[in-house]
Short mmCIF file of all heavy atoms in Angstrom, two decimals:
data_model
loop_
_atom_site.label_atom_id
_atom_site.label_comp_id
_atom_site.label_asym_id
_atom_site.label_seq_id
_atom_site.Cartn_x
_atom_site.Cartn_y
_atom_site.Cartn_z
N VAL Q 38 -1.69 -0.01 -8.08
CA VAL Q 38 -0.56 -0.42 -7.24
C VAL Q 38 0.14 0.83 -6.69
O VAL Q 38 0.47 0.89 -5.50
CB VAL Q 38 0.42 -1.32 -8.03
CG1 VAL Q 38 1.71 -1.53 -7.26
CG2 VAL Q 38 -0.24 -2.65 -8.36
N VAL Q 41 -1.97 2.47 -3.87
CA VAL Q 41 -1.87 1.71 -2.62
C VAL Q 41 -0.51 1.96 -1.97
O VAL Q 41 -0.42 2.22 -0.77
CB VAL Q 41 -2.09 0.20 -2.86
CG1 VAL Q 41 -1.76 -0.61 -1.62
CG2 VAL Q 41 -3.52 -0.07 -3.31
N ALA Q 42 0.54 1.94 -2.76
CA ALA Q 42 1.89 2.17 -2.23
C ALA Q 42 2.02 3.58 -1.67
O ALA Q 42 2.60 3.77 -0.59
CB ALA Q 42 2.94 1.94 -3.33
N TRP Q 45 0.39 3.93 1.60
CA TRP Q 45 1.12 3.20 2.62
C TRP Q 45 2.33 4.01 3.09
O TRP Q 45 2.60 4.08 4.28
CB TRP Q 45 1.58 1.85 2.08
CG TRP Q 45 1.90 0.87 3.15
CD1 TRP Q 45 1.05 0.00 3.74
CD2 TRP Q 45 3.17 0.68 3.78
NE1 TRP Q 45 1.72 -0.73 4.69
CE2 TRP Q 45 3.02 -0.33 4.74
CE3 TRP Q 45 4.42 1.26 3.63
CZ2 TRP Q 45 4.06 -0.78 5.53
CZ3 TRP Q 45 5.45 0.81 4.43
CH2 TRP Q 45 5.26 -0.20 5.37
N CYS Q 46 3.06 4.63 2.16
CA CYS Q 46 4.31 5.29 2.55
C CYS Q 46 4.23 6.81 2.55
O CYS Q 46 5.03 7.45 3.21
CB CYS Q 46 5.46 4.82 1.67
SG CYS Q 46 5.35 5.36 -0.05
N ASP Q 51 9.13 6.89 -3.05
CA ASP Q 51 9.04 5.54 -2.47
C ASP Q 51 7.89 4.75 -3.09
O ASP Q 51 8.02 3.55 -3.35
CB ASP Q 51 8.87 5.61 -0.96
CG ASP Q 51 10.13 6.08 -0.25
OD1 ASP Q 51 11.21 6.11 -0.89
OD2 ASP Q 51 10.04 6.42 0.94
N ALA Q 52 6.77 5.42 -3.33
CA ALA Q 52 5.62 4.75 -3.95
C ALA Q 52 5.98 4.24 -5.35
O ALA Q 52 5.60 3.14 -5.74
CB ALA Q 52 4.42 5.67 -4.01
N GLU Q 53 6.74 5.04 -6.09
CA GLU Q 53 7.18 4.61 -7.42
C GLU Q 53 8.11 3.41 -7.32
O GLU Q 53 8.01 2.47 -8.10
CB GLU Q 53 7.84 5.77 -8.16
CG GLU Q 53 6.85 6.83 -8.58
CD GLU Q 53 7.49 8.12 -9.08
OE1 GLU Q 53 8.74 8.22 -9.10
OE2 GLU Q 53 6.72 9.02 -9.45
N ASP Q 54 9.02 3.45 -6.34
CA ASP Q 54 9.93 2.32 -6.14
C ASP Q 54 9.16 1.06 -5.78
O ASP Q 54 9.45 -0.03 -6.29
CB ASP Q 54 10.95 2.63 -5.04
CG ASP Q 54 11.98 3.67 -5.46
OD1 ASP Q 54 12.07 3.98 -6.67
OD2 ASP Q 54 12.68 4.20 -4.57
N ILE Q 55 8.18 1.20 -4.89
CA ILE Q 55 7.37 0.05 -4.49
C ILE Q 55 6.59 -0.49 -5.68
O ILE Q 55 6.54 -1.70 -5.92
CB ILE Q 55 6.42 0.42 -3.33
CG1 ILE Q 55 7.23 0.70 -2.05
CG2 ILE Q 55 5.39 -0.67 -3.08
CD1 ILE Q 55 6.43 1.38 -0.95
N ALA Q 56 5.98 0.41 -6.46
CA ALA Q 56 5.20 -0.03 -7.62
C ALA Q 56 6.09 -0.75 -8.63
O ALA Q 56 5.69 -1.78 -9.20
CB ALA Q 56 4.50 1.17 -8.27
N GLN Q 57 7.29 -0.24 -8.84
CA GLN Q 57 8.22 -0.91 -9.75
C GLN Q 57 8.60 -2.29 -9.22
O GLN Q 57 8.69 -3.25 -9.98
CB GLN Q 57 9.47 -0.05 -9.97
CG GLN Q 57 9.22 1.20 -10.75
CD GLN Q 57 8.76 0.92 -12.17
OE1 GLN Q 57 9.29 0.04 -12.83
NE2 GLN Q 57 7.76 1.65 -12.62
N GLU Q 58 8.83 -2.37 -7.92
CA GLU Q 58 9.16 -3.66 -7.31
C GLU Q 58 8.01 -4.65 -7.47
O GLU Q 58 8.22 -5.82 -7.77
CB GLU Q 58 9.51 -3.47 -5.83
CG GLU Q 58 9.82 -4.75 -5.09
CD GLU Q 58 11.05 -5.48 -5.60
OE1 GLU Q 58 11.93 -4.86 -6.23
OE2 GLU Q 58 11.13 -6.71 -5.36
N VAL Q 59 6.78 -4.17 -7.29
CA VAL Q 59 5.62 -5.04 -7.45
C VAL Q 59 5.53 -5.54 -8.89
O VAL Q 59 5.26 -6.73 -9.12
CB VAL Q 59 4.31 -4.33 -7.03
CG1 VAL Q 59 3.09 -5.11 -7.45
CG2 VAL Q 59 4.31 -4.10 -5.53
N CYS Q 60 5.78 -4.68 -9.85
CA CYS Q 60 5.75 -5.09 -11.25
C CYS Q 60 6.80 -6.16 -11.53
O CYS Q 60 6.53 -7.14 -12.24
CB CYS Q 60 5.95 -3.89 -12.18
SG CYS Q 60 4.56 -2.75 -12.16
N ALA Q 61 8.00 -5.99 -10.96
CA ALA Q 61 9.05 -6.99 -11.14
C ALA Q 61 8.65 -8.31 -10.48
O ALA Q 61 8.82 -9.39 -11.06
CB ALA Q 61 10.36 -6.48 -10.57
N ARG Q 62 8.11 -8.23 -9.27
CA ARG Q 62 7.67 -9.44 -8.57
C ARG Q 62 6.52 -10.11 -9.31
O ARG Q 62 6.43 -11.35 -9.34
CB ARG Q 62 7.22 -9.10 -7.15
CG ARG Q 62 8.34 -8.75 -6.23
CD ARG Q 62 7.83 -8.44 -4.84
NE ARG Q 62 8.90 -8.00 -3.97
CZ ARG Q 62 8.76 -7.79 -2.67
NH1 ARG Q 62 7.59 -7.98 -2.08
NH2 ARG Q 62 9.79 -7.38 -1.95
N LEU Q 63 5.66 -9.30 -9.87
CA LEU Q 63 4.51 -9.84 -10.62
C LEU Q 63 4.98 -10.69 -11.78
O LEU Q 63 4.43 -11.75 -12.05
CB LEU Q 63 3.61 -8.70 -11.10
CG LEU Q 63 2.34 -9.09 -11.83
CD1 LEU Q 63 1.45 -9.94 -10.94
CD2 LEU Q 63 1.61 -7.84 -12.29
N ARG Q 65 7.58 -12.48 -11.91
CA ARG Q 65 8.04 -13.78 -11.41
C ARG Q 65 6.90 -14.60 -10.81
O ARG Q 65 6.94 -15.82 -10.80
CB ARG Q 65 9.13 -13.57 -10.36
CG ARG Q 65 10.42 -12.99 -10.91
CD ARG Q 65 11.51 -12.91 -9.85
NE ARG Q 65 11.18 -12.07 -8.72
CZ ARG Q 65 11.45 -10.78 -8.62
NH1 ARG Q 65 12.05 -10.15 -9.61
NH2 ARG Q 65 11.14 -10.10 -7.55
N TRP Q 79 -5.02 -9.98 -4.65
CA TRP Q 79 -3.68 -10.55 -4.73
C TRP Q 79 -2.65 -9.44 -4.88
O TRP Q 79 -1.60 -9.45 -4.25
CB TRP Q 79 -3.64 -11.54 -5.90
CG TRP Q 79 -2.44 -12.42 -5.98
CD1 TRP Q 79 -2.05 -13.37 -5.07
CD2 TRP Q 79 -1.49 -12.44 -7.03
NE1 TRP Q 79 -0.91 -13.99 -5.51
CE2 TRP Q 79 -0.54 -13.45 -6.72
CE3 TRP Q 79 -1.34 -11.74 -8.21
CZ2 TRP Q 79 0.53 -13.75 -7.54
CZ3 TRP Q 79 -0.27 -12.04 -9.03
CH2 TRP Q 79 0.65 -13.03 -8.69
N LEU Q 80 -2.97 -8.43 -5.72
CA LEU Q 80 -2.07 -7.29 -5.90
C LEU Q 80 -1.93 -6.47 -4.62
O LEU Q 80 -0.84 -5.96 -4.33
CB LEU Q 80 -2.55 -6.38 -7.03
CG LEU Q 80 -2.18 -6.79 -8.44
CD1 LEU Q 80 -2.79 -5.82 -9.44
CD2 LEU Q 80 -0.68 -6.87 -8.63
N TYR Q 81 -3.03 -6.31 -3.86
CA TYR Q 81 -2.95 -5.63 -2.56
C TYR Q 81 -1.91 -6.29 -1.69
O TYR Q 81 -1.02 -5.65 -1.14
CB TYR Q 81 -4.27 -5.69 -1.80
CG TYR Q 81 -5.26 -4.62 -2.09
CD1 TYR Q 81 -6.54 -4.95 -2.50
CD2 TYR Q 81 -4.96 -3.28 -1.92
CE1 TYR Q 81 -7.48 -3.98 -2.76
CE2 TYR Q 81 -5.90 -2.30 -2.17
CZ TYR Q 81 -7.16 -2.65 -2.59
OH TYR Q 81 -8.09 -1.70 -2.84
N ALA Q 82 -2.04 -7.60 -1.55
CA ALA Q 82 -1.11 -8.34 -0.69
C ALA Q 82 0.32 -8.20 -1.19
O ALA Q 82 1.25 -7.97 -0.39
CB ALA Q 82 -1.51 -9.82 -0.64
N MET Q 83 0.52 -8.29 -2.49
CA MET Q 83 1.85 -8.18 -3.05
C MET Q 83 2.41 -6.76 -2.81
O MET Q 83 3.59 -6.59 -2.47
CB MET Q 83 1.82 -8.48 -4.56
CG MET Q 83 3.19 -8.59 -5.18
SD MET Q 83 3.11 -9.03 -6.93
CE MET Q 83 2.68 -10.75 -6.81
N THR Q 84 1.57 -5.76 -2.96
CA THR Q 84 2.00 -4.37 -2.76
C THR Q 84 2.34 -4.11 -1.29
O THR Q 84 3.36 -3.48 -0.98
CB THR Q 84 0.91 -3.39 -3.24
OG1 THR Q 84 0.62 -3.67 -4.62
CG2 THR Q 84 1.36 -1.95 -3.11
N LEU Q 85 1.50 -4.59 -0.38
CA LEU Q 85 1.78 -4.41 1.04
C LEU Q 85 3.06 -5.12 1.44
O LEU Q 85 3.85 -4.59 2.22
CB LEU Q 85 0.60 -4.89 1.88
CG LEU Q 85 -0.68 -4.07 1.76
CD1 LEU Q 85 -1.79 -4.71 2.58
CD2 LEU Q 85 -0.46 -2.64 2.17
N ASN Q 86 3.30 -6.30 0.90
CA ASN Q 86 4.54 -7.02 1.21
C ASN Q 86 5.76 -6.25 0.69
O ASN Q 86 6.78 -6.14 1.39
CB ASN Q 86 4.52 -8.43 0.63
CG ASN Q 86 3.61 -9.35 1.40
OD1 ASN Q 86 3.35 -9.13 2.57
ND2 ASN Q 86 3.11 -10.37 0.74
N ALA Q 87 5.67 -5.70 -0.51
CA ALA Q 87 6.78 -4.92 -1.07
C ALA Q 87 7.01 -3.66 -0.23
O ALA Q 87 8.16 -3.26 0.01
CB ALA Q 87 6.49 -4.55 -2.52
N ALA Q 88 5.93 -3.03 0.22
CA ALA Q 88 6.05 -1.83 1.04
C ALA Q 88 6.72 -2.16 2.38
O ALA Q 88 7.58 -1.41 2.86
CB ALA Q 88 4.69 -1.19 1.26
N ARG Q 89 6.32 -3.27 2.97
CA ARG Q 89 6.93 -3.68 4.25
C ARG Q 89 8.42 -3.99 4.06
O ARG Q 89 9.24 -3.64 4.91
CB ARG Q 89 6.22 -4.89 4.82
CG ARG Q 89 4.88 -4.58 5.40
CD ARG Q 89 4.28 -5.81 6.08
NE ARG Q 89 2.89 -5.61 6.29
CZ ARG Q 89 1.92 -6.25 5.65
NH1 ARG Q 89 2.20 -7.18 4.77
NH2 ARG Q 89 0.66 -6.00 5.91
N ASP Q 90 8.75 -4.67 2.95
CA ASP Q 90 10.15 -4.96 2.68
C ASP Q 90 10.96 -3.68 2.55
O ASP Q 90 12.06 -3.56 3.07
CB ASP Q 90 10.30 -5.79 1.40
CG ASP Q 90 9.77 -7.21 1.54
OD1 ASP Q 90 9.53 -7.65 2.69
OD2 ASP Q 90 9.60 -7.87 0.50
N MET Q 91 10.38 -2.70 1.86
CA MET Q 91 11.06 -1.42 1.70
C MET Q 91 11.21 -0.72 3.05
O MET Q 91 12.25 -0.10 3.32
CB MET Q 91 10.31 -0.53 0.72
CG MET Q 91 10.99 0.77 0.46
SD MET Q 91 10.08 1.69 -0.77
CE MET Q 91 11.19 3.05 -0.98
N GLN Q 92 10.18 -0.81 3.89
CA GLN Q 92 10.25 -0.18 5.21
C GLN Q 92 11.37 -0.80 6.04
O GLN Q 92 12.12 -0.10 6.72
CB GLN Q 92 8.93 -0.31 5.94
CG GLN Q 92 8.94 0.35 7.30
CD GLN Q 92 7.67 0.10 8.08
OE1 GLN Q 92 7.07 -0.96 7.99
NE2 GLN Q 92 7.26 1.08 8.86
N ARG Q 93 11.50 -2.13 5.99
CA ARG Q 93 12.56 -2.79 6.74
C ARG Q 93 13.93 -2.34 6.24
O ARG Q 93 14.83 -2.05 7.03
CB ARG Q 93 12.43 -4.31 6.64
CG ARG Q 93 11.34 -4.87 7.54
CD ARG Q 93 11.38 -6.39 7.57
NE ARG Q 93 10.92 -6.99 6.34
CZ ARG Q 93 9.65 -7.28 6.08
NH1 ARG Q 93 8.71 -7.02 6.97
NH2 ARG Q 93 9.30 -7.84 4.95
N LYS Q 94 14.08 -2.25 4.94
CA LYS Q 94 15.34 -1.79 4.36
C LYS Q 94 15.61 -0.34 4.77
O LYS Q 94 16.72 0.02 5.14
CB LYS Q 94 15.30 -1.90 2.84
CG LYS Q 94 16.56 -1.47 2.16
CD LYS Q 94 16.46 -1.61 0.66
CE LYS Q 94 17.73 -1.10 -0.01
NZ LYS Q 94 17.60 -1.12 -1.46
N SER Q 95 14.58 0.47 4.73
CA SER Q 95 14.70 1.88 5.10
C SER Q 95 15.07 2.02 6.57
O SER Q 95 15.85 2.90 6.93
CB SER Q 95 13.40 2.61 4.81
OG SER Q 95 13.48 3.94 5.21
N ASP Q 139 -2.26 -1.15 7.99
CA ASP Q 139 -2.71 -1.83 6.78
C ASP Q 139 -4.24 -1.86 6.70
O ASP Q 139 -4.82 -1.63 5.64
CB ASP Q 139 -2.16 -3.26 6.74
CG ASP Q 139 -0.65 -3.29 6.58
OD1 ASP Q 139 -0.04 -2.22 6.32
OD2 ASP Q 139 -0.06 -4.38 6.72
#
Side-chain angles (χ1 to χ4, degrees):
V38 169
V41 170
W45 200 89
C46 68
D51 289 347
E53 289 169 359
D54 290 346
I55 292 167
Q57 290 297 318
E58 178 64 23
V59 169
C60 291
R62 288 180 184 187
L63 183 60
R65 293 185 299 269
W79 192 63
L80 277 177
Y81 273 125
M83 189 177 285
T84 303
L85 293 177
N86 286 335
R89 285 186 196 110
D90 291 347
M91 183 177 186
Q92 181 186 34
R93 283 189 288 273
K94 181 180 177 185
S95 177
D139 293 350

